[in-house]
Amino acid sequence: MELLQNLYTGFSLAVSPTNLLFAAIGVIYGTITGALPGIGSVTAVALLLPLTFTMNPTTALIMLAGIYYGVAYGGTITAVLINVPGDSSAVMTTLDGYQLALQGRAGPALSIAAIGSFIAGTISTIILMGLAPPLAKFALRFGPPEYFALAILAFSLLTAFEGRQPIKIVVSTLLGLLIATVGLDVVSGLPRFTFDSPQLLGGISFVTVIIGLFGIGEVLSSVEQEMRLDFLRAKFRLRDVFPTWQDWIASRWAILRGTIIGFLVGILPGAGATTASFLAYLSEKRLSKHPERFGRGAIEGVASPESANNAACIGAFAPLLALGIPGSATTAVLLAGFMIWGIRPGPMLFQRNADLVWALIASMYIGNLMLVLLNIFFIPAFVAVLRIPYTILMPLIVVFSTMGAFSVNNDLFDVWLMLGFGVLGYLMKKLDYPVAPMVLALVLGPFAENSLRQAFIISGGSLSIFFTRPISAVLMGLAILAYLYPLIRWAVKSVRQVTTAATDLISARR
């Protein structure tokens, strides 16, 4: 009963004209930017974050959240029509979505993706309603050692899920932690890494870093290559858009399985929607009675990853709201927004800012309904917008990035910082260093440092406090396993290769 009362309160706030307007702005903007290759949800949210500083926090969060899961919808459009994912979470959709488009079935592919995302988003929001409050109550048992261990676990899971180049992930994380230490030491009050610059005494603005890394960094990267979007000549009349009954039969369980996989992966810090879509697609192919159809235009090969990436977006809000730990790079940007508005996500959020939380959750139902209608009935309009030349689009991104960086402190110093981080983002992309660990470390760095110092004060400087308290001991153990996971995987692979070689040698001698 209390849950329904809270949801009613949330809807009463979310359906106000102002909140509905900004929810619509968020999902439309998110869909368009999600469809533009290379921009992604982090950039889309970061570019508009400075504009929300003077807004009501509830309205701002509703809009930014709409952008986040709107990108997951929009990334499907170019994935299906031109075989180029608008967002990394739509990579798996290209495998079957483009093949369906070549067969003249782009409309059903886009519709099943939109409807699957709507079902996944709705189910995930229901699970979020039930999961987040008890998770927040459990987190009331957390002290400084537990919060530090949780931050370390968040960093380590990036190593486990990103996987291929763990050293680069660790380097990116350490770089983010280093940037987070710039400014005044909260304990001693002494300046750290400020180089006698008064502008750095307050630290480096998270917004400036994000806009530089993703906005300017993407522009610099795009300058090297001419982006041409060659769309298929597909029909988008109303009767050509909806999936057939056979498509529904083939996709119904794929949507449900993708939803479950996506939400479970989404609540893990560092996993993200991309990982969720990969796992959902691979599991669907493994469970299929006709796996040979995948990659050749299987409709369930679109439904499953699209359901998973949207469910993961909603799932990422669970650790953010209940624990104050972002589940993805985009929710890390949202966490920075919370802090800018003077709100600290975590166990007390459901008590101190209950109206904000439930209005945000209620807006997810509304936003997903808006998105499914937009992505079925307005596909031709989005395709027309996407034909804007990149020679026009990229200068606009530079203009908005500059305005956003300057608006942080009304200081040109932040603009120069943004340009510097833009160059850093470009170099990291060229050298194949992941940016997500750096973003996560930048947000969680001060939080982890304060928790570490408080834990040492409690224990008198002893590390044993992290291993003698049950919750922190479990979290630290999981973090250690996650960091060792690449090494364990390498050892298992080496043993298999040696075993295979030995078996082949024995067989050859016989």
Side-chain angles (χ1 to χ4, degrees):
M1 186 63 69
E2 182 183 357
L3 190 64
L4 293 177
Q5 181 61 40
N6 289 331
L7 187 60
Y8 174 79
T9 302
F11 268 108
S12 66
L13 294 171
V15 297
S16 70
T18 301
N19 288 340
L20 283 176
L21 173 63
F22 279 95
I25 291 172
V27 297
I28 294 171
Y29 169 76
T31 302
I32 293 173
T33 53
L36 294 170
I39 295 182
S41 59
V42 182
T43 307
V45 173
L47 287 176
L48 289 197
L49 184 60
L51 303 180
T52 65
F53 292 166
T54 57
M55 292 172 60
N56 178 285
T58 302
T59 303
L61 275 172
I62 287 174
M63 182 184 71
L64 295 176
I67 295 171
Y68 182 23
Y69 45 81
V71 169
Y73 278 79
T76 313
I77 296 175
T78 45
V80 170
L81 296 180
I82 60 172
N83 203 29
V84 177
D87 185 60
S88 61
S89 63
V91 168
M92 302 307 290
T93 307
T94 61
L95 300 179
D96 288 280
Y98 187 64
Q99 292 301 316
L100 285 166
L102 291 175
Q103 298 165 19
R105 306 195 66 229
L110 291 170
S111 291
I112 203 70
I115 296 169
S117 294
F118 170 73
I119 295 172
T122 303
I123 294 174
S124 297
T125 306
I126 294 171
I127 299 173
L128 176 64
M129 285 170 46
L131 177 65
L135 186 61
K137 290 181 180 178
F138 173 74
L140 289 172
R141 301 167 58 183
F142 281 32
E146 286 77 18
Y147 276 116
F148 176 74
L150 188 62
I152 296 299
L153 178 61
F155 298 145
S156 66
L157 287 175
L158 286 168
T159 307
F161 285 111
E162 296 281 346
R164 289 183 299 175
Q165 296 177 311
I167 299 300
K168 290 186 176 181
I169 295 169
V170 172
V171 170
S172 181
T173 303
L174 292 176
L175 185 59
L177 290 173
L178 180 64
I179 295 171
T181 61
V182 174
L184 294 176
D185 187 326
V186 293
V187 175
S188 66
L190 296 174
R192 301 185 299 189
F193 307 113
T194 59
F195 306 100
D196 296 325
S197 172
Q199 288 95 338
L200 291 177
L201 289 175
I204 297 176
S205 168
F206 177 82
V207 176
T208 302
V209 177
I210 290 299
I211 292 175
L213 286 175
F214 293 96
I216 302 301
E218 181 58 38
V219 170
L220 293 175
S221 180
S222 299
V223 166
E224 291 187 327
Q225 50 189 348
E226 183 181 355
M227 301 268 312
R228 293 186 62 222
L229 306 184
D230 297 320
F231 289 84
L232 289 171
R233 294 184 177 275
K235 295 180 180 180
F236 293 107
R237 293 173 300 183
L238 194 59
R239 66 182 183 183
D240 299 316
V241 166
F242 288 102
T244 64
W245 180 249
Q246 289 74 19
D247 292 334
W248 277 110
I249 295 297
S251 302
R252 65 191 192 282
W253 295 116
I255 290 172
L256 291 176
R257 282 190 287 263
T259 300
I260 295 170
I261 292 172
F263 189 86
L264 292 176
V265 173
I267 62 176
L268 297 173
T274 304
T275 302
S277 64
F278 269 84
L279 292 177
Y281 184 90
L282 294 175
S283 65
E284 200 59 38
K285 184 177 180 180
R286 188 174 293 115
L287 292 171
S288 176
K289 294 180 180 179
H290 302 284
E292 69 280 357
R293 292 175 52 247
F294 283 74
R296 298 180 180 179
I299 194 74
E300 57 266 44
V302 174
S304 181
E306 285 301 309
S307 302
N309 65 33
N310 199 265
C313 291
I314 304 296
F317 280 93
L320 173 67
L321 298 175
L323 303 175
I325 298 293
S328 65
T330 310
T331 49
V333 180
L334 293 175
L335 176 58
F338 272 103
M339 294 177 176
I340 290 169
W341 299 312
I343 301 170
R344 175 68 203 180
M348 299 304 295
L349 183 66
F350 283 82
Q351 299 179 20
R352 295 175 180 171
N353 303 94
D355 289 350
L356 181 148
V357 173
W358 289 105
L360 176 61
I361 291 174
S363 75
M364 293 177 183
Y365 291 103
I366 298 170
N368 274 287
L369 180 59
M370 289 179 177
L371 280 164
V372 73
L373 296 176
L374 281 170
N375 282 269
I376 290 178
F377 295 106
F378 291 89
I379 289 173
F382 288 129
V383 172
V385 171
L386 299 179
R387 297 184 190 276
I388 297 174
Y390 265 62
T391 52
I392 296 175
L393 182 66
M394 290 305 166
L396 286 176
I397 292 178
V398 173
V399 171
F400 282 116
S401 298
T402 304
M403 291 170 58
F406 182 79
S407 67
V408 174
N409 295 306
N410 293 325
D411 193 341
L412 278 175
F413 181 79
D414 289 304
V415 176
W416 291 113
L417 270 180
M418 175 202 69
L419 293 174
F421 281 106
V423 174
L424 176 62
Y426 165 74
L427 292 175
M428 291 180 72
K429 191 168 185 177
K430 288 286 289 184
L431 298 174
D432 199 24
Y433 276 80
V435 180
M438 180 178 168
V439 173
L440 192 64
L442 189 60
V443 174
L444 293 183
F447 168 71
E449 181 187 5
N450 291 340
S451 298
L452 176 64
R453 289 187 167 190
Q454 291 168 356
F456 278 152
I457 291 172
I458 295 171
S459 66
S462 173
L463 283 171
S464 62
I465 191 171
F466 299 110
F467 301 97
T468 54
R469 294 167 63 123
I471 297 176
S472 61
V474 170
L475 294 175
M476 290 296 284
L478 292 173
I480 292 171
L481 284 175
Y483 274 121
L484 293 176
Y485 175 72
L487 183 62
I488 295 171
R489 185 175 56 186
W490 173 82
V492 170
K493 185 177 179 181
S494 298
V495 169
R496 285 180 178 174
Q497 289 176 343
V498 170
T499 303
T500 302
T503 303
D504 292 343
L505 182 61
I506 293 172
S507 300
R509 288 180 176 177
R510 289 178 181 177

